[in-house]
Amino acid sequence: GLDTSFSGDGKVTTDIGGYWDQAYSMAVQADGKIILAGMASGNPSSVSDFALIRYNTDGSLDTSFDSDGKVVTSAGYYQEGLSSVVVQSDGKILAAGFGGDGPGGTVDDFVLLRYNGNGSLDTGFGGNGIVVTDFSGMPDIANAIAVQQDGKIIVAGSTNNDFAVVRYRTDGSLDDGFGVGGKVTTGLPSGYARSIVIQADGKILV
């Protein structure tokens, strides 16, 4: 049955934007706190922003995380959403997703963000905590993150219906020792990379 020690009935509902909010990924910190990543919207016009929520182990919002347990971030796109979130060994939070200019638009990019444990953006990552990666095609959507033992970050997703994988250094810069300028694309009849795993020998499964 549902765990009634979690929010009294095993269920938690949290409003962020006031209109529609969606969570797409979850991570659990070493201390048991729970992070949800997705998007938040405050109006019916499909405008959305990146959103993170952190809960205590009992399901209450963690007020040490941006004072109310919720962080909403924008990189300046019309539509923004986080598809995947992981917690680094140092407690920093990596979240990846997409930024686009809306239906019928011509811009869609991979967006990777790194947050400090208190919910603030890590300015040592990409200069402001946000790294944008563009491919030649569109849409570009990041769906999964994995962190190598050396701290390098792998993000997998799709570009123009092909598999797309990117590797970043720990500071958010593209790792030019991976593929071409840090990027690899693999053409398939219809390619959407949804998950990524790093093997013990360092090889990458997508």
Side-chain angles (χ1 to χ4, degrees):
L2 290 169
D3 179 5
T4 56
S5 70
F6 187 75
S7 191
D9 61 359
K11 298 176 280 186
V12 173
T13 301
T14 305
D15 178 67
I16 307 173
Y19 184 68
W20 54 266
D21 308 315
Q22 299 183 46
Y24 295 118
S25 183
M26 177 187 292
V28 178
Q29 297 185 167
D31 60 5
K33 292 182 178 180
I34 302 158
I35 298 170
L36 291 183
M39 62 171 65
S41 176
N43 60 69
S45 64
S46 297
V47 177
S48 61
D49 296 318
F50 304 114
L52 287 181
I53 302 176
R54 190 165 74 192
Y55 300 93
N56 296 306
T57 56
D58 63 359
S60 60
L61 287 166
D62 177 11
T63 56
S64 70
F65 192 68
D66 199 42
S67 77
D68 62 357
K70 310 174 209 177
V71 173
V72 176
T73 307
S74 177
Y77 295 91
Y78 181 82
Q79 291 180 318
E80 300 171 327
L82 297 173
S83 306
S84 184
V85 62
V86 298
V87 181
Q88 296 184 168
S89 59
D90 62 1
K92 292 184 178 182
I93 300 161
L94 284 166
F98 68 92
D101 59 359
T106 58
V107 176
D108 275 291
D109 297 323
F110 273 36
V111 184
L112 179 63
L113 305 93
R114 190 164 73 191
Y115 299 85
N116 297 306
N118 64 3
S120 61
L121 284 166
D122 176 10
T123 56
F125 188 75
N128 63 354
I130 302 173
V131 172
V132 173
T133 304
D134 182 40
F135 289 82
S136 58
M138 69 163 292
D140 301 337
I141 300 174
N143 289 321
I145 312 171
V147 181
Q148 297 184 169
Q149 288 188 351
D150 61 4
K152 289 183 179 179
I153 302 156
I154 306 284
V155 177
S158 63
T159 177
N160 196 30
N161 296 325
D162 291 335
F163 273 44
V165 183
V166 185
R167 189 164 74 188
Y168 303 89
R169 300 184 182 93
T170 57
D171 64 358
S173 60
L174 288 167
D175 179 7
D176 55 13
F178 183 79
V180 178
K183 308 174 191 176
V184 173
T185 58
T186 303
L188 296 170
S190 181
Y192 295 90
R194 302 288 191 189
S195 185
I196 186 167
V197 175
I198 300 173
Q199 296 181 163
D201 62 2
K203 291 181 179 178
I204 302 159
L205 288 168
V206 177

